[in-house]
Amino acid sequence: MQFPHLFSPITINGMTLKNRAVMPPMGTGYGNSDSTVSDRLVAYLARRAQGGTGLIITEVCAVDPRGKGFPNEVGVWNDSFIPGLARIPEALHRYGAKTALQLHHAGRETFEAAAGAMPEAPSAIPSVILGQPCEAMSLERVAQVIGSFARAAGRAKAAGFDAVELHGAHGYLLNQFLSPFSNQRNDQYGGSDENRMRFVLEIVAGVRKVVGPDFPVWIRVSADELVRGGYDLDFMQKFAPRMVAAGVDAIHCSAGVYSTPGNLSVASMDTDPGFNLFRARALKSVVNVPVIGVGRINNPELADQAIARGDADLISFGRQHLTDPDFINKAHDGAFDDIRWCTACNQGCIERLSFEMKSATCSFNPECGREYKGPASKADPSQRVWVIGAGPAGLSAAMAAAARGHKVEIFEKEEKPGGQLLSASRPPHKAVFMDWVTWALHQLKKSSTPVHCQHTVNKEEIKQRRPDAVIIACGAYPVTAPIPGFDSKMVADARDVLTGKVELVSPVVILGAGYVGMETADYLLAKGIAVTVLEMQPFPPVGKLTAHGYWLHKRIKDAGGRLIFGAQVLDIEAGDVRYRQNDAERVVESAAMIVTAMGAKSENSLEDVLKELAIPFRTVGDAKTPRRILEAIHEGHKAGEGI
Ligand SMILES: Cc1cc2nc3c(=O)[nH]c(=O)nc-3n(C[C@H](O)[C@H](O)[C@H](O)COP(=O)(O)OP(=O)(O)OC[C@H]3O[C@@H](n4cnc5c(N)ncnc54)[C@H](O)[C@@H]3O)c2cc1C
Ligand SMILES: Cc1cc2nc3c(=O)[nH]c(=O)nc-3n(C[C@H](O)[C@H](O)[C@H](O)COP(=O)(O)O)c2cc1C
Ligand code: SF4
C-alpha cells in the first residue's frame, strides 16, 4: 500500500478508526436558523464520509445559546436537539466513518446578535478583532457553563456520536481561560498557570463523569497562541499531561487565536505545508495518548511521512475536505492526478464565513454545500455546446456540461488554457493555483472534451457553424485611465509582467494597490526589483485582516517596497510619474517601467450575435462582471449544469 501509516487503523479508548485521516471541525453556516441540524449539513458531512475519511468531527456545536459564535450555529444545549443530531452519526456510520461532536462556547469571540446577550468571557476584555464589549463571568456562571459542557457531552453520546471533542483552541472560551492575554481574573480561575488551567480541567472531569470511562473524549488546543502576552508551547507542554490525567483520550494540536497575525489557525498559501507539525511532536513527547496534527496538510504523502516520523498519530485535513471530498479514497487508490487540491486561498471558506457572513463553500469546488441537491440530470437531448474561453469559468462550465452528456468544445484564443490563472499563479506562494487548471484539463481529457487553443471565436464563425448553445466565458481585459503618457513603451500591464511577456527592469512604479497590484509588487520585490505602488484610494484596498492580505503587506514592507495611498496620477513623462496627494503635486522619479493594475472590463462582445441568431447562451465569470475565481468557477458550473 502506498501510504501504510496513514491507512493503518488506530484505536482511541475503544473507538477503532479505519485510517488516520481526520476531517477536523469546520463551521459551515449550514445549520437551520433555529440551530437544529439541516438536510444540507447531513448531506455535506455524509459526502465526506463517503470519500473514505476515518474520523469526521462536526463543526462547532454550542453548549449554551450564549456561546454561539454565529446565529445558526448548531446547538446541543438541550435534549430537544438530540433527534436532529442523531442524523449525523446515522448517515456517517453507513460509510464506515466514526464521528465526534465538537463542544463549543465562543466566549468573547462572538457578537451580541449571535449570542442573544452580551458575550461572556473570563474577564471583561473585548475581543481584539471583533471589539464587542463583553461581561466577566461570575463564579456561579462559571459553574453553570462547566455543567453545560458535561450535559452536552451526554447528549452527543445519546445521539449516537462515537466521541466528543472539547473546543479548547482558537481563542474561544476554554482558550480564553487558559490565556494570560484574555484571563485577568483574581479568583481561583485566574492569575497563576494553575488557576488558569482550572476551568478546562473541571470541564474535562465533568464531561468524563457524565459520559463514563469508556467513551472517547479529547480536546482541541492551540499549542501556542502566537500573540504577545498569550501562552506559549512551553505552557501547553506543561498543561497537556494535566488534561490527560483529568481524562482526555487524545489531543488535537492546532495553533493561534483570532488575533494571531496572519491567521495561523487557518493558514493561507503564504505559510508552508505542515508548518504546525513540530508543535504536535512537542505535545506527543509529553503525553501517552494519541496526538492529532493539523495545519496546511493537504497531501496524503506529507501526512503519511508525519505519522511515520512520529510527529503525530493522526492527521487532520481541513480545507482539503472542502475542495475534494474524495481525496482520501483517491490517495488510497493511487489516483493522484484526480485529486483537486485546496489552494489555501481562504476566500470561499473561512473568509466568506467570517467576513462576508455567508455560508462556507470552496472557491474551487462548486458542489461544496450543494450535496443535498443531488447530481444534475443527464442531458436530453445531448447538444453541441461551445464554451468560449478556457479560464476558470469556461473550464468549469465545460466539465459540468460534459458530465451531463453534452458534446462540448472549448475555444481559447491564447496559446495555453488557464485564463487569468496563468498570471494569478505567478506571484510568490500562488503556483498552487495552476494545479486546478492541470486537474481540470485532466478531467476534460477523461471526458474527451477538446480544448482548441489559439482559436479566437468571432461572430462569423458562430454564424457559419451555429452551435446549439454557447457559454461565454471570455473573461475581462485590463483597463487603464486616459492619462497623458500611458501610451509610452515604458508602460506595461501587470498580467504581461507576471507571465514573462515583458523584460524586467528596475525600479518599477505600479499603479493600483488592489490584489493584482500588490501581488505584482510582491513578485517583483522577490526578484530584487525596487517597487513603488501608487494607489488613488486613501486606504489600502487589500486589508490586513485576511491572511493573504496580512502576508502581502508584510512581505512588501520587509522587502522595502513603498506603498503610497491617496495618490492620483496626473501624467507620465520619461519615467517620472507625477501624482497629486493631499492637494500637493509630487513625483516618483526615474522609473524604468510603469506597471498598470487598474482593474478590468468584461469581454462579452459575442452576446450580440448570439441574440441575433437566437442561440441560447449564458455569460459567466469575469465576462459577466470582473470578480474572483469563486464566482467564475461556481457560475461556470451552474451554467454547464443548466444547459
Ligand atoms: C494577477 C492576478 C491575480 C489574481 N488573483 C486572484 C486570487 O488570488 N483569487 C481570485 O479569486 N481571483 C484572482 N484573480 C482574478 C481571477 O483570476 C479571475 O476572476 C478569473 O480568472 C476569471 O475567470 P474567467 O474564466 O471568467 O476569465 P479569464 O480567467 O479571464 O478567462 C477568460 C479566457 O477567455 C479567453 N477568450 C476571451 N475572448 C475569447 C474569444 N473570443 N475566443 C476564445 N477565447 C477567448 C481569454 O483568452 C481567457 O483565457 C487574479 C487575477 C490576476 C490577473
Ligand atoms: C470554514 C472553516 C471553518 C472552521 N471552523 C472550525 C470550527 O468550527 N472548529 C474548529 O476547531 N476549527 C475550525 N476551523 C479550523 C479547521 O478545523 C482547521 O484546523 C484549519 O482549517 C487548518 O487545517 P487545514 O490547513 O487542513 O485547513 C475552521 C476552518 C475553516 C476553513
Ligand atoms: S476556498 Fe480556498 S482555502 Fe477554502 S477550501 Fe477552497 S481552495 Fe481551500
Side-chain angles (χ1 to χ4, degrees), residues 24-27 59-60 102 165 167 170 220 254 265-267 294-298 316-320 322 349-350 353 360:
M26 281 180 288
E59 63 193 85
V60 284
Q102 190 182 47
E165 173 175 283
H167 198 340
H170 304 163
R220 186 165 222 215
S254 188
S265 304
V266 191
V294 67
R296 272 224 72 198
I297 306 168
N298 297 349
S316 271
F317 303 85
R319 291 160 290 175
Q320 183 57 41
L322 305 181
C349 53
I350 191 70
L353 194 71

PDB file of all heavy atoms in Angstrom, residues 24-27 59-60 102 165 167 170 220 254 265-267 294-298 316-320 322 349-350 353 360, ligand 2:
ATOM      1  N   PRO A  24     -11.277  17.714  10.405  1.00  0.00           N
ATOM      2  CA  PRO A  24     -11.422  18.490  11.639  1.00  0.00           C
ATOM      3  C   PRO A  24     -12.705  19.320  11.585  1.00  0.00           C
ATOM      4  O   PRO A  24     -13.315  19.449  10.526  1.00  0.00           O
ATOM      5  CB  PRO A  24     -10.183  19.383  11.618  1.00  0.00           C
ATOM      6  CG  PRO A  24      -9.922  19.619  10.185  1.00  0.00           C
ATOM      7  CD  PRO A  24     -10.328  18.352   9.464  1.00  0.00           C
ATOM      8  N   PRO A  25     -13.094  19.890  12.701  1.00  0.00           N
ATOM      9  CA  PRO A  25     -14.315  20.685  12.711  1.00  0.00           C
ATOM     10  C   PRO A  25     -14.185  21.893  11.802  1.00  0.00           C
ATOM     11  O   PRO A  25     -13.157  22.580  11.824  1.00  0.00           O
ATOM     12  CB  PRO A  25     -14.440  21.132  14.164  1.00  0.00           C
ATOM     13  CG  PRO A  25     -13.251  20.646  14.874  1.00  0.00           C
ATOM     14  CD  PRO A  25     -12.404  19.859  13.990  1.00  0.00           C
ATOM     15  N   MET A  26     -15.207  22.130  11.009  1.00  0.00           N
ATOM     16  CA  MET A  26     -15.212  23.340  10.172  1.00  0.00           C
ATOM     17  C   MET A  26     -16.616  23.928  10.141  1.00  0.00           C
ATOM     18  O   MET A  26     -17.537  23.296   9.603  1.00  0.00           O
ATOM     19  CB  MET A  26     -14.727  23.013   8.754  1.00  0.00           C
ATOM     20  CG  MET A  26     -13.215  22.912   8.671  1.00  0.00           C
ATOM     21  SD  MET A  26     -12.638  22.535   7.019  1.00  0.00           S
ATOM     22  CE  MET A  26     -13.112  20.828   6.859  1.00  0.00           C
ATOM     23  N   GLY A  27     -16.771  25.100  10.729  1.00  0.00           N
ATOM     24  CA  GLY A  27     -18.056  25.796  10.720  1.00  0.00           C
ATOM     25  C   GLY A  27     -18.478  26.057   9.288  1.00  0.00           C
ATOM     26  O   GLY A  27     -17.673  26.474   8.458  1.00  0.00           O
ATOM     27  N   GLU A  59     -18.611  20.428  13.026  1.00  0.00           N
ATOM     28  CA  GLU A  59     -18.231  21.813  13.306  1.00  0.00           C
ATOM     29  C   GLU A  59     -18.623  22.178  14.733  1.00  0.00           C
ATOM     30  O   GLU A  59     -19.282  21.384  15.435  1.00  0.00           O
ATOM     31  CB  GLU A  59     -18.953  22.736  12.325  1.00  0.00           C
ATOM     32  CG  GLU A  59     -20.469  22.725  12.440  1.00  0.00           C
ATOM     33  CD  GLU A  59     -21.114  23.417  11.248  1.00  0.00           C
ATOM     34  OE1 GLU A  59     -21.300  22.744  10.217  1.00  0.00           O
ATOM     35  OE2 GLU A  59     -21.419  24.620  11.340  1.00  0.00           O
ATOM     36  N   VAL A  60     -18.256  23.375  15.152  1.00  0.00           N
ATOM     37  CA  VAL A  60     -18.628  23.873  16.480  1.00  0.00           C
ATOM     38  C   VAL A  60     -20.111  23.646  16.741  1.00  0.00           C
ATOM     39  O   VAL A  60     -20.952  23.930  15.897  1.00  0.00           O
ATOM     40  CB  VAL A  60     -18.343  25.398  16.604  1.00  0.00           C
ATOM     41  CG1 VAL A  60     -16.868  25.668  16.795  1.00  0.00           C
ATOM     42  CG2 VAL A  60     -18.898  26.189  15.426  1.00  0.00           C
ATOM     43  N   GLN A 102     -18.100  18.384  18.168  1.00  0.00           N
ATOM     44  CA  GLN A 102     -17.252  19.388  18.826  1.00  0.00           C
ATOM     45  C   GLN A 102     -18.089  20.288  19.731  1.00  0.00           C
ATOM     46  O   GLN A 102     -19.022  20.966  19.276  1.00  0.00           O
ATOM     47  CB  GLN A 102     -16.492  20.257  17.814  1.00  0.00           C
ATOM     48  CG  GLN A 102     -15.442  21.121  18.537  1.00  0.00           C
ATOM     49  CD  GLN A 102     -14.669  22.061  17.641  1.00  0.00           C
ATOM     50  OE1 GLN A 102     -15.255  22.757  16.812  1.00  0.00           O
ATOM     51  NE2 GLN A 102     -13.350  22.104  17.808  1.00  0.00           N
ATOM     52  N   GLU A 165     -15.272  16.126  21.101  1.00  0.00           N
ATOM     53  CA  GLU A 165     -14.058  16.941  21.150  1.00  0.00           C
ATOM     54  C   GLU A 165     -14.415  18.258  21.854  1.00  0.00           C
ATOM     55  O   GLU A 165     -15.383  18.925  21.464  1.00  0.00           O
ATOM     56  CB  GLU A 165     -13.540  17.252  19.736  1.00  0.00           C
ATOM     57  CG  GLU A 165     -12.380  18.241  19.754  1.00  0.00           C
ATOM     58  CD  GLU A 165     -11.754  18.490  18.387  1.00  0.00           C
ATOM     59  OE1 GLU A 165     -10.985  17.635  17.907  1.00  0.00           O
ATOM     60  OE2 GLU A 165     -12.046  19.556  17.789  1.00  0.00           O
ATOM     61  N   HIS A 167     -13.730  22.052  22.382  1.00  0.00           N
ATOM     62  CA  HIS A 167     -13.019  23.096  21.630  1.00  0.00           C
ATOM     63  C   HIS A 167     -12.256  23.986  22.611  1.00  0.00           C
ATOM     64  O   HIS A 167     -12.803  24.922  23.192  1.00  0.00           O
ATOM     65  CB  HIS A 167     -14.000  23.926  20.808  1.00  0.00           C
ATOM     66  CG  HIS A 167     -13.332  24.710  19.712  1.00  0.00           C
ATOM     67  ND1 HIS A 167     -11.987  25.007  19.707  1.00  0.00           N
ATOM     68  CD2 HIS A 167     -13.822  25.241  18.562  1.00  0.00           C
ATOM     69  CE1 HIS A 167     -11.689  25.694  18.617  1.00  0.00           C
ATOM     70  NE2 HIS A 167     -12.786  25.849  17.900  1.00  0.00           N
ATOM     71  N   HIS A 170      -8.147  28.227  19.457  1.00  0.00           N
ATOM     72  CA  HIS A 170      -8.536  29.348  18.581  1.00  0.00           C
ATOM     73  C   HIS A 170      -9.123  30.556  19.293  1.00  0.00           C
ATOM     74  O   HIS A 170      -9.872  31.328  18.701  1.00  0.00           O
ATOM     75  CB  HIS A 170      -9.525  28.863  17.497  1.00  0.00           C
ATOM     76  CG  HIS A 170      -8.965  27.734  16.683  1.00  0.00           C
ATOM     77  ND1 HIS A 170      -9.742  26.913  15.897  1.00  0.00           N
ATOM     78  CD2 HIS A 170      -7.699  27.262  16.560  1.00  0.00           C
ATOM     79  CE1 HIS A 170      -8.987  25.999  15.321  1.00  0.00           C
ATOM     80  NE2 HIS A 170      -7.729  26.196  15.706  1.00  0.00           N
ATOM     81  N   ARG A 220      -9.287  19.871  21.710  1.00  0.00           N
ATOM     82  CA  ARG A 220      -8.527  20.576  20.681  1.00  0.00           C
ATOM     83  C   ARG A 220      -7.910  21.804  21.345  1.00  0.00           C
ATOM     84  O   ARG A 220      -8.615  22.565  22.018  1.00  0.00           O
ATOM     85  CB  ARG A 220      -9.464  21.013  19.560  1.00  0.00           C
ATOM     86  CG  ARG A 220      -8.721  21.615  18.398  1.00  0.00           C
ATOM     87  CD  ARG A 220      -9.581  21.709  17.172  1.00  0.00           C
ATOM     88  NE  ARG A 220      -8.778  21.313  16.038  1.00  0.00           N
ATOM     89  CZ  ARG A 220      -8.895  21.843  14.831  1.00  0.00           C
ATOM     90  NH1 ARG A 220      -9.819  22.741  14.576  1.00  0.00           N
ATOM     91  NH2 ARG A 220      -8.100  21.455  13.856  1.00  0.00           N
ATOM     92  N   SER A 254      -3.820  22.285  17.330  1.00  0.00           N
ATOM     93  CA  SER A 254      -3.899  23.409  16.392  1.00  0.00           C
ATOM     94  C   SER A 254      -2.996  24.547  16.898  1.00  0.00           C
ATOM     95  O   SER A 254      -2.174  24.325  17.800  1.00  0.00           O
ATOM     96  CB  SER A 254      -5.359  23.845  16.264  1.00  0.00           C
ATOM     97  OG  SER A 254      -5.508  24.806  15.244  1.00  0.00           O
ATOM     98  N   SER A 265      -4.414  29.891  12.498  1.00  0.00           N
ATOM     99  CA  SER A 265      -5.354  28.790  12.781  1.00  0.00           C
ATOM    100  C   SER A 265      -5.890  28.221  11.472  1.00  0.00           C
ATOM    101  O   SER A 265      -6.260  27.055  11.403  1.00  0.00           O
ATOM    102  CB  SER A 265      -6.527  29.278  13.631  1.00  0.00           C
ATOM    103  OG  SER A 265      -6.070  29.869  14.813  1.00  0.00           O
ATOM    104  N   VAL A 266      -5.996  29.069  10.458  1.00  0.00           N
ATOM    105  CA  VAL A 266      -6.433  28.615   9.129  1.00  0.00           C
ATOM    106  C   VAL A 266      -5.439  29.243   8.149  1.00  0.00           C
ATOM    107  O   VAL A 266      -5.736  30.202   7.439  1.00  0.00           O
ATOM    108  CB  VAL A 266      -7.892  29.044   8.822  1.00  0.00           C
ATOM    109  CG1 VAL A 266      -8.387  28.328   7.565  1.00  0.00           C
ATOM    110  CG2 VAL A 266      -8.839  28.730   9.985  1.00  0.00           C
ATOM    111  N   ALA A 267      -4.252  28.675   8.137  1.00  0.00           N
ATOM    112  CA  ALA A 267      -3.116  29.329   7.465  1.00  0.00           C
ATOM    113  C   ALA A 267      -3.300  29.377   5.949  1.00  0.00           C
ATOM    114  O   ALA A 267      -3.735  28.408   5.332  1.00  0.00           O
ATOM    115  CB  ALA A 267      -1.839  28.584   7.812  1.00  0.00           C
ATOM    116  N   VAL A 294      -2.377  19.071  12.684  1.00  0.00           N
ATOM    117  CA  VAL A 294      -3.178  19.828  11.702  1.00  0.00           C
ATOM    118  C   VAL A 294      -2.423  21.080  11.292  1.00  0.00           C
ATOM    119  O   VAL A 294      -1.570  21.575  12.028  1.00  0.00           O
ATOM    120  CB  VAL A 294      -4.567  20.198  12.290  1.00  0.00           C
ATOM    121  CG1 VAL A 294      -4.472  21.189  13.446  1.00  0.00           C
ATOM    122  CG2 VAL A 294      -5.513  20.739  11.226  1.00  0.00           C
ATOM    123  N   GLY A 295      -2.759  21.589  10.117  1.00  0.00           N
ATOM    124  CA  GLY A 295      -2.219  22.883   9.676  1.00  0.00           C
ATOM    125  C   GLY A 295      -1.596  22.812   8.301  1.00  0.00           C
ATOM    126  O   GLY A 295      -0.444  22.399   8.166  1.00  0.00           O
ATOM    127  N   ARG A 296      -2.377  23.137   7.291  1.00  0.00           N
ATOM    128  CA  ARG A 296      -1.929  23.144   5.891  1.00  0.00           C
ATOM    129  C   ARG A 296      -1.335  21.795   5.497  1.00  0.00           C
ATOM    130  O   ARG A 296      -0.250  21.740   4.913  1.00  0.00           O
ATOM    131  CB  ARG A 296      -0.921  24.267   5.655  1.00  0.00           C
ATOM    132  CG  ARG A 296      -1.601  25.579   5.272  1.00  0.00           C
ATOM    133  CD  ARG A 296      -0.892  26.258   4.130  1.00  0.00           C
ATOM    134  NE  ARG A 296      -1.118  25.563   2.879  1.00  0.00           N
ATOM    135  CZ  ARG A 296      -0.379  25.710   1.793  1.00  0.00           C
ATOM    136  NH1 ARG A 296       0.630  26.509   1.783  1.00  0.00           N
ATOM    137  NH2 ARG A 296      -0.661  25.046   0.697  1.00  0.00           N
ATOM    138  N   ILE A 297      -2.040  20.742   5.853  1.00  0.00           N
ATOM    139  CA  ILE A 297      -1.612  19.423   5.376  1.00  0.00           C
ATOM    140  C   ILE A 297      -2.699  18.953   4.413  1.00  0.00           C
ATOM    141  O   ILE A 297      -3.773  18.546   4.832  1.00  0.00           O
ATOM    142  CB  ILE A 297      -1.442  18.424   6.540  1.00  0.00           C
ATOM    143  CG1 ILE A 297      -0.506  19.008   7.601  1.00  0.00           C
ATOM    144  CG2 ILE A 297      -0.907  17.081   6.006  1.00  0.00           C
ATOM    145  CD1 ILE A 297      -0.498  18.251   8.910  1.00  0.00           C
ATOM    146  N   ASN A 298      -2.433  19.078   3.127  1.00  0.00           N
ATOM    147  CA  ASN A 298      -3.397  18.627   2.114  1.00  0.00           C
ATOM    148  C   ASN A 298      -2.983  17.273   1.590  1.00  0.00           C
ATOM    149  O   ASN A 298      -3.815  16.465   1.192  1.00  0.00           O
ATOM    150  CB  ASN A 298      -3.381  19.538   0.876  1.00  0.00           C
ATOM    151  CG  ASN A 298      -3.792  20.945   1.178  1.00  0.00           C
ATOM    152  OD1 ASN A 298      -4.278  21.222   2.260  1.00  0.00           O
ATOM    153  ND2 ASN A 298      -3.607  21.827   0.221  1.00  0.00           N
ATOM    154  N   SER A 316      -5.248  15.714  10.618  1.00  0.00           N
ATOM    155  CA  SER A 316      -6.448  16.424  10.170  1.00  0.00           C
ATOM    156  C   SER A 316      -6.159  17.119   8.848  1.00  0.00           C
ATOM    157  O   SER A 316      -5.168  17.848   8.732  1.00  0.00           O
ATOM    158  CB  SER A 316      -6.847  17.487  11.190  1.00  0.00           C
ATOM    159  OG  SER A 316      -7.709  16.967  12.151  1.00  0.00           O
ATOM    160  N   PHE A 317      -7.052  16.865   7.905  1.00  0.00           N
ATOM    161  CA  PHE A 317      -7.017  17.586   6.624  1.00  0.00           C
ATOM    162  C   PHE A 317      -8.279  18.447   6.628  1.00  0.00           C
ATOM    163  O   PHE A 317      -9.374  17.919   6.465  1.00  0.00           O
ATOM    164  CB  PHE A 317      -7.122  16.629   5.447  1.00  0.00           C
ATOM    165  CG  PHE A 317      -6.074  15.555   5.374  1.00  0.00           C
ATOM    166  CD1 PHE A 317      -6.219  14.363   6.068  1.00  0.00           C
ATOM    167  CD2 PHE A 317      -4.972  15.708   4.548  1.00  0.00           C
ATOM    168  CE1 PHE A 317      -5.278  13.350   5.956  1.00  0.00           C
ATOM    169  CE2 PHE A 317      -4.021  14.692   4.435  1.00  0.00           C
ATOM    170  CZ  PHE A 317      -4.170  13.516   5.139  1.00  0.00           C
ATOM    171  N   GLY A 318      -8.157  19.745   6.832  1.00  0.00           N
ATOM    172  CA  GLY A 318      -9.350  20.583   6.935  1.00  0.00           C
ATOM    173  C   GLY A 318      -9.895  20.947   5.570  1.00  0.00           C
ATOM    174  O   GLY A 318     -10.705  20.237   4.967  1.00  0.00           O
ATOM    175  N   ARG A 319      -9.404  22.056   5.050  1.00  0.00           N
ATOM    176  CA  ARG A 319      -9.964  22.601   3.809  1.00  0.00           C
ATOM    177  C   ARG A 319      -9.858  21.635   2.635  1.00  0.00           C
ATOM    178  O   ARG A 319     -10.662  21.694   1.715  1.00  0.00           O
ATOM    179  CB  ARG A 319      -9.262  23.931   3.504  1.00  0.00           C
ATOM    180  CG  ARG A 319      -9.643  25.020   4.497  1.00  0.00           C
ATOM    181  CD  ARG A 319      -8.650  26.142   4.513  1.00  0.00           C
ATOM    182  NE  ARG A 319      -7.375  25.745   5.092  1.00  0.00           N
ATOM    183  CZ  ARG A 319      -6.307  26.497   5.154  1.00  0.00           C
ATOM    184  NH1 ARG A 319      -6.347  27.712   4.644  1.00  0.00           N
ATOM    185  NH2 ARG A 319      -5.192  26.068   5.710  1.00  0.00           N
ATOM    186  N   GLN A 320      -8.864  20.731   2.675  1.00  0.00           N
ATOM    187  CA  GLN A 320      -8.771  19.758   1.583  1.00  0.00           C
ATOM    188  C   GLN A 320     -10.064  18.947   1.458  1.00  0.00           C
ATOM    189  O   GLN A 320     -10.469  18.563   0.367  1.00  0.00           O
ATOM    190  CB  GLN A 320      -7.562  18.837   1.814  1.00  0.00           C
ATOM    191  CG  GLN A 320      -7.314  17.827   0.713  1.00  0.00           C
ATOM    192  CD  GLN A 320      -7.114  18.462  -0.656  1.00  0.00           C
ATOM    193  OE1 GLN A 320      -6.451  19.494  -0.806  1.00  0.00           O
ATOM    194  NE2 GLN A 320      -7.715  17.867  -1.686  1.00  0.00           N
ATOM    195  N   LEU A 322     -12.975  20.177   1.880  1.00  0.00           N
ATOM    196  CA  LEU A 322     -13.961  21.018   1.194  1.00  0.00           C
ATOM    197  C   LEU A 322     -13.706  20.987  -0.308  1.00  0.00           C
ATOM    198  O   LEU A 322     -14.630  20.915  -1.111  1.00  0.00           O
ATOM    199  CB  LEU A 322     -13.879  22.474   1.690  1.00  0.00           C
ATOM    200  CG  LEU A 322     -14.016  22.699   3.202  1.00  0.00           C
ATOM    201  CD1 LEU A 322     -13.945  24.184   3.532  1.00  0.00           C
ATOM    202  CD2 LEU A 322     -15.330  22.118   3.715  1.00  0.00           C
ATOM    203  N   CYS A 349     -14.065  29.782   1.869  1.00  0.00           N
ATOM    204  CA  CYS A 349     -14.451  29.081   3.106  1.00  0.00           C
ATOM    205  C   CYS A 349     -14.406  30.037   4.294  1.00  0.00           C
ATOM    206  O   CYS A 349     -15.351  30.771   4.537  1.00  0.00           O
ATOM    207  CB  CYS A 349     -13.595  27.835   3.295  1.00  0.00           C
ATOM    208  SG  CYS A 349     -11.819  28.132   3.227  1.00  0.00           S
ATOM    209  N   ILE A 350     -13.279  30.088   4.995  1.00  0.00           N
ATOM    210  CA  ILE A 350     -13.280  30.793   6.280  1.00  0.00           C
ATOM    211  C   ILE A 350     -13.535  32.302   6.131  1.00  0.00           C
ATOM    212  O   ILE A 350     -14.248  32.901   6.935  1.00  0.00           O
ATOM    213  CB  ILE A 350     -11.963  30.510   7.070  1.00  0.00           C
ATOM    214  CG1 ILE A 350     -12.069  31.001   8.509  1.00  0.00           C
ATOM    215  CG2 ILE A 350     -10.751  31.092   6.388  1.00  0.00           C
ATOM    216  CD1 ILE A 350     -13.002  30.221   9.368  1.00  0.00           C
ATOM    217  N   LEU A 353     -17.175  32.964   5.412  1.00  0.00           N
ATOM    218  CA  LEU A 353     -17.958  32.778   6.635  1.00  0.00           C
ATOM    219  C   LEU A 353     -17.738  33.956   7.597  1.00  0.00           C
ATOM    220  O   LEU A 353     -18.683  34.511   8.140  1.00  0.00           O
ATOM    221  CB  LEU A 353     -17.504  31.471   7.293  1.00  0.00           C
ATOM    222  CG  LEU A 353     -18.349  30.868   8.393  1.00  0.00           C
ATOM    223  CD1 LEU A 353     -19.645  30.312   7.830  1.00  0.00           C
ATOM    224  CD2 LEU A 353     -17.580  29.712   9.059  1.00  0.00           C
ATOM    225  N   ALA A 360     -20.161  28.746   4.266  1.00  0.00           N
ATOM    226  CA  ALA A 360     -18.871  28.374   3.668  1.00  0.00           C
ATOM    227  C   ALA A 360     -19.081  27.502   2.426  1.00  0.00           C
ATOM    228  O   ALA A 360     -20.068  26.792   2.306  1.00  0.00           O
ATOM    229  CB  ALA A 360     -18.036  27.608   4.690  1.00  0.00           C
TER     230      ALA A 360
HETATM  231  C1  LIG B   2     -14.506  27.287   7.047  1.00  0.00           C
HETATM  232  C2  LIG B   2     -13.746  26.864   8.271  1.00  0.00           C
HETATM  233  C3  LIG B   2     -14.398  26.761   9.474  1.00  0.00           C
HETATM  234  C4  LIG B   2     -13.711  26.323  10.609  1.00  0.00           C
HETATM  235  N1  LIG B   2     -14.407  26.104  11.759  1.00  0.00           N
HETATM  236  C5  LIG B   2     -13.801  25.492  12.811  1.00  0.00           C
HETATM  237  C6  LIG B   2     -14.567  25.009  13.902  1.00  0.00           C
HETATM  238  O1  LIG B   2     -15.799  25.031  13.882  1.00  0.00           O
HETATM  239  N2  LIG B   2     -13.882  24.465  14.950  1.00  0.00           N
HETATM  240  C7  LIG B   2     -12.516  24.337  14.955  1.00  0.00           C
HETATM  241  O2  LIG B   2     -11.955  23.836  15.907  1.00  0.00           O
HETATM  242  N3  LIG B   2     -11.784  24.728  13.891  1.00  0.00           N
HETATM  243  C8  LIG B   2     -12.396  25.279  12.807  1.00  0.00           C
HETATM  244  N4  LIG B   2     -11.666  25.574  11.685  1.00  0.00           N
HETATM  245  C9  LIG B   2     -10.233  25.239  11.627  1.00  0.00           C
HETATM  246  C10 LIG B   2     -10.043  23.856  10.982  1.00  0.00           C
HETATM  247  O3  LIG B   2     -10.559  22.836  11.777  1.00  0.00           O
HETATM  248  C11 LIG B   2      -8.566  23.551  10.716  1.00  0.00           C
HETATM  249  O4  LIG B   2      -7.894  23.497  11.931  1.00  0.00           O
HETATM  250  C12 LIG B   2      -7.916  24.591   9.829  1.00  0.00           C
HETATM  251  O5  LIG B   2      -8.673  24.769   8.663  1.00  0.00           O
HETATM  252  C13 LIG B   2      -6.476  24.194   9.467  1.00  0.00           C
HETATM  253  O6  LIG B   2      -6.467  22.981   8.791  1.00  0.00           O
HETATM  254  P1  LIG B   2      -6.202  22.904   7.183  1.00  0.00           P
HETATM  255  O7  LIG B   2      -4.980  23.700   6.928  1.00  0.00           O
HETATM  256  O8  LIG B   2      -6.038  21.451   6.918  1.00  0.00           O
HETATM  257  O9  LIG B   2      -7.425  23.501   6.536  1.00  0.00           O
HETATM  258  C14 LIG B   2     -12.330  26.043  10.545  1.00  0.00           C
HETATM  259  C15 LIG B   2     -11.679  26.195   9.326  1.00  0.00           C
HETATM  260  C16 LIG B   2     -12.364  26.575   8.201  1.00  0.00           C
HETATM  261  C17 LIG B   2     -11.650  26.654   6.884  1.00  0.00           C
END
